Amino acid sequence: MPTEPLSQKEIEDRLRELPGWSLAGDRIARTYRLATHFAAAAMVVHVARVQDELNHHSDLTLGYDTVALSVNTHDAGGAVTERDFELASRVDAVAAAHGAS
Ligand SMILES: C[C@H](O)[C@H](O)[C@H]1CNC2=NC(N)=NC(=O)C2=N1
């Protein structure tokens, strides 16, 4: 997976394909809402497994009934790369499986 920094336009184009995700400073970010706190915690565990599988890790915040993620690519000096969008796409699939909105 390439780790070249994406341009602002490439980032904006990719974000249009991932509704709910946005650019927050130098990271892409999204917050999901779950039905309960335990459901949110269960989603975090599943996301952690995907992140280890991809060897690409976000900053994750577990709230009362929310899971907030933000990510960029450390190996690219903190730039946004394709690896971040690959993770975002996989997390969206996990979130859907957990009934997150
Ligand atoms: C050594 C290890 O492969 C690297 O540090 C991985 C781990 N997880 C990572 N996560 C993120 N967000 N960016 C990286 O560049 C990265 N690199």
Side-chain angles (χ1 to χ4, degrees):
M1 174 65 62
T3 56
E4 291 75 33
L6 296 175
S7 68
Q8 186 72 19
K9 182 182 184 312
E10 287 169 325
I11 293 169
E12 289 166 1
D13 289 347
R14 293 300 307 275
L15 285 173
R16 273 191 284 277
E17 300 163 9
L18 289 167
W21 286 84
S22 60
L23 189 60
D26 62 352
R27 310 163 74 85
I28 61 171
R30 179 167 182 178
T31 298
Y32 300 92
R33 184 166 302 280
L34 286 295
T36 66
H37 182 63
F38 186 78
M43 178 180 158
V44 167
V45 172
H46 195 167
V47 169
R49 187 172 66 187
V50 169
Q51 292 187 149
D52 277 349
E53 173 196 329
L54 296 178
N55 191 31
H56 202 68
H57 304 84
S58 67
D59 287 346
L60 266 166
T61 304
L62 172 62
Y64 165 60
D65 58 354
T66 58
V67 176
L69 300 94
S70 67
V71 63
N72 61 24
T73 302
H74 313 152
D75 296 343
V80 174
T81 72
E82 279 296 336
R83 290 178 68 187
D84 302 308
F85 285 103
E86 180 190 25
L87 177 60
S89 177
R90 290 288 302 276
V91 172
D92 273 357
V94 167
H98 285 260
S101 58

